[in-house]
Amino acid sequence: ASFNSYLDSITATGGRTIALDAGLTTINGVTFTVDGTGTLPLDQFTSITQGGVDAQGGTYSLPNLTDVGGSGLAVSNGASLALPGVVTYDPIGADVSFSASGTSGAVASLLSLKNLTTIQSVTTDAYYGSLSITATSGGDIELPALSSISTASLLTAVSATADGSGSVLDLAGLLNYQTYGGALGATKQATVQLNPGLTNLGGVTLRLDGTGTIPSSQFDSIVAGGVDVEGGSYSLGNLT
């Protein structure tokens, strides 16, 4: 069964229990908010589109979920959200984010899409929009299999940044990054991990501040973007 809505929400926090028909596996336009204390059968869904999941605590693994197109994903307060079934992502012209923010004690908020390989604008009538991938305040986003970001054709901006001490963004598999009005950066002692084979950026501004860790010297081409240095000293000898 499926359900279609627009900018709706379902919240199971503070010990609240939400019961859903077990046959409901596809939902559109709904954002689920959870915190590890309530009861909500998120694992029954195979598709959550143009909505999202906001985990404000707790640990969630949703292996059945394979389609989150146009949805936002957020973790905070030491929450963990793993979506191993998601292989591709289409922003569908929405303004959304993948975010991991903060810690709970020594436990970092963790967003893991370990099998995501492609972020691509596919829906041909969904122009513009944006996807902001951001690890902040010690949060951790793991996208190790992501090899291609390709959204320039529909003018969709994809940015990938980490900000704040302990924040980590894993893009160790990324080989192609072609977007429109995007940004890539590690600031305030954060870390962005990149594949050494990523040498060309299209539609991306590289943001540096002298404190973050990002292999900026590997780039030999930055087209329709730029370099924004807010501090520190950099030698980009390969950039031509």
Side-chain angles (χ1 to χ4, degrees), residues 58-59 75-81 100-111 136-142 165-168:
T59 299
V75 292
S76 59
N77 303 318
S80 174
L81 175 62
S101 177
T103 63
S104 178
V107 178
S109 300
L110 172 64
L111 175 61
T136 60
S137 303
D140 185 357
I141 298 181
E142 299 292 323
S165 179
S167 301
V168 176

Side-chain angles (χ1 to χ4, degrees), residues 12 33 61 75 81 84 90 100 103 113 125 146 152 165 185 188 190 199:
T33 301
S61 179
V75 292
L81 175 62
D90 181 359
T103 63
L113 289 89
D125 60 348
L146 180 63
S165 179
K188 298 179 182 176
T199 59

Side-chain angles (χ1 to χ4, degrees), residues 11 16 18 26 36 43 46 53 57 64 88 111 128 133 146 148 160 162 173 193 205 215-216 219 230 236 240:
T11 301
R16 181 182 301 176
I18 303 292
T26 301
D43 55 354
T46 60
V53 179
N64 297 322
T88 63
L111 175 61
Y128 303 107
I133 304 170
L146 180 63
S148 178
Q193 300 166 348
T205 295
S216 56
F219 298 108
E230 300 174 359
L236 306 179
T240 59

